[in-house]
Amino acid sequence: MNTAMTSSGTAEPVILDVAELTSDPELGARLVESTHRILADLVREGAALGWVEPPSRDEVTELIGHVVTAVRAGAGALRAAYVDRRLVGLGYWLRYARPTHRPHADLEKIAVDAAVQGRGVGRALTTALIADARRAGVEVLTLDARGDNSDALRLYRSLGFTEYGRLPDFVAVGERRYDKVFYMLDFRRQG
């Protein structure tokens, strides 16, 4: 077992894929519960994850089931970050459904527990997902983010993503409006 999975809270996160998660029955069994805790807490605090109200446990169960099914079909990747066997973040990408867009994928979510933000967990997750996309033959990895999510946008730029579009005041959270920013990482241009 990796020492980072059992050592003190100052350990570097261990980034696991679906095969590693499901090979450990304890982690696999707690994945939905732990994911729900992280997503609900982040959304409650105003995080830009696509929900206005915290998602229900059933919504998270359905989401994780959908992503795991896609991963097993070769149409996605899921990564989870653990410190001391505690889930502290996760992210995933999925290939586009349209046949003409199948060479490409969308990085749909990166969520990091507020208690460990700023410690490199988001970078480690995103880096692992980029490597997974490259190995899977994805040509262009896209993502979108809320325009006020400056830390995430800075991270994506530092990893080679470039902005390719913006919809002003597109995201509605109550009466507030935010830009929706589109980023891409074109592996075809990276040789």
Side-chain angles (χ1 to χ4, degrees):
M1 179 177 297
N2 190 311
T3 58
M5 290 292 284
T6 58
S7 62
S8 74
T10 60
E12 292 294 315
V14 174
I15 309 298
L16 303 178
D17 64 19
V18 166
E20 294 164 322
L21 278 169
T22 56
S23 71
D24 184 324
E26 181 188 341
L27 294 181
R30 292 191 333 230
L31 181 61
V32 169
E33 176 187 330
S34 300
T35 300
H36 178 254
R37 175 188 50 80
I38 289 172
L39 293 175
D41 288 349
L42 290 171
V43 171
R44 203 173 288 110
E45 295 300 317
L49 291 170
W51 289 281
V52 175
E53 296 295 324
S56 70
R57 185 180 168 93
D58 288 344
E59 286 177 287
V60 174
T61 300
E62 184 178 330
L63 173 67
I64 295 297
H66 172 72
V67 173
V68 169
T69 298
V71 171
R72 289 185 173 146
L78 169 70
R79 290 294 185 144
Y82 285 85
V83 172
D84 295 331
R85 296 188 61 80
R86 179 175 176 267
L87 183 71
V88 295
L90 73 151
Y92 65 90
W93 59 257
L94 298 172
R95 285 195 182 269
Y96 284 93
R98 283 188 187 157
T100 56
H101 298 174
R102 287 298 277 180
H104 315 297
D106 192 52
L107 182 59
E108 294 193 11
K109 289 219 187 316
I110 298 287
V112 176
D113 189 319
V116 298
Q117 287 180 3
R119 297 184 191 169
V121 174
R123 177 175 295 281
L125 284 167
T126 308
T127 299
L129 289 164
I130 289 169
D132 291 342
R134 201 177 257 125
R135 273 191 301 278
V138 168
E139 293 180 10
V140 178
L141 184 62
T142 62
L143 64 86
D144 64 78
R146 202 167 76 188
D148 68 326
N149 197 349
S150 57
D151 290 340
L153 296 175
R154 189 171 28 261
L155 169 65
Y156 300 138
R157 283 190 303 270
S158 76
L159 292 172
F161 283 87
T162 57
E163 184 177 328
Y164 70 90
R166 181 179 291 257
L167 294 172
D169 299 327
F170 187 81
V171 179
V173 179
E175 296 299 315
R176 294 180 307 247
R177 298 294 180 266
Y178 303 94
D179 291 357
K180 182 175 183 175
V181 184
F182 299 93
Y183 275 74
M184 64 182 266
L185 184 58
D186 191 338
F187 298 120
R188 299 169 301 184
R189 295 192 179 139
Q190 295 179 355

